[in-house]
Amino acid sequence: MSGSPQIYRASTTAPVNIAVIKYWGKRDTTLNLPTNSSLSVTLSQNSLRAHTTASASESYSGDDTLILNGEQEDIKSSKRTQACLKHLRSLRADLESKNASLPNLSQLTLRLVSENNFPTAAGLASSAAGFAALVRAIADLYELPQSPEELSLIARQGSGSACRSLMGGFVAWRAGTKEDGSDSKAEEVAPASHWPDLRALILVVSAEKKGVPSTAGMQTTVETSTLAPARFRDIVPKRLQEIEKAIHDKDFETFGRITMQDSNSFHAICLDSWPPIHYMNDVSRAAMSAVETANRKAGKIIAAYTFDAGPNAVIYHLEEHTHLVAGVIKSILPWIPGWEGEFGEKIQPNEF
Ligand code: 2P0
């Protein structure tokens, strides 16, 4: 046996999730408690994802570190990352206090290494996959018994939307009503296998970093948008019920209509904020028109666009309509950077 201290290690991946009912607004900025519940589809592990390795060892010294896409991040001053690490450590310390034979990992320095296989902060939910993978990797390293739902409470404190990336398929983030956030967590509405022919086509309109970061944008909207209160109070709760039923019934037309309406409602409250927030650009709007053209040609809703805090489009459709949808989009938007190019298979329809 060599005398060098053991390195404990765990690796995991977490996929991106794309919301069909959007989270946009916090009622508590420290705990990351949302103004409304949201619902997303988790993409497959084979498409856009974060891969994270967490390790701990007595041979490590100093502060915990995170290397993201090859660059050292300043996690010491990131309250959100610190909140996640503190919570995970305290769960591990609980385990250690109950079982003296466990190594005291909770007291060791952590080294985290994370890679995204897609552009970071380009409105492709990188923080969602990133924090979900970070929490899962440390939970695995610490051999925590907590369920994905319980871990979602921790990931939520890193980035709100991250709580939804700890589960596959169709995932709701219930806003909850408690002040301490203990009921603000993710819940699987249906597994991916429930609707296996649903596809998400991702158009990488731009891989640039987004102009207004989500956290700041949300606060501007909550403080200034005159339309937002109606969205939070009336519009989203009703839509959420409708889309959950559409998912259970595999009713694509209703699923698609609500997805597009909710994306538009989110971008409407952004535009209604002051100063106004613009995430979509002319190419995004051309993608919307292309989807409308595909639907007109089909005589029904066969494709549904949705846009997050950036110009990139995600287009949901059923596998049987892949050629029709891809054909219309290609004919209308042949110049989209990344289409069949830079991002390879990532812009092909992804299984999830
Ligand atoms: C969503 N977005 O539901 C919405 C739609 C962007 C538009 O969740 O401040 O990065 O870290 O909690 O989770 C992006 O916001 O914000 C987001 P924080 P997050 O996916």
Side-chain angles (χ1 to χ4, degrees), residues 114-129:
S114 191
E115 299 268 343
N116 295 331
N117 64 348
F118 58 92
T120 299
L124 284 172
S126 57
S127 67

Side-chain angles (χ1 to χ4, degrees), residues 128-148:
F131 272 105
L134 180 136
V135 168
R136 181 83 260 171
I138 300 172
D140 288 353
L141 174 73
Y142 288 170
E143 298 184 319
L144 300 181
Q146 273 69 23
S147 65

Side-chain angles (χ1 to χ4, degrees), residues 22-33:
K22 307 292 189 189
Y23 151 51
W24 195 256
K26 297 175 203 271
R27 61 178 205 272
D28 183 315
T29 51
T30 309
L31 291 171
N32 260 350
L33 301 180

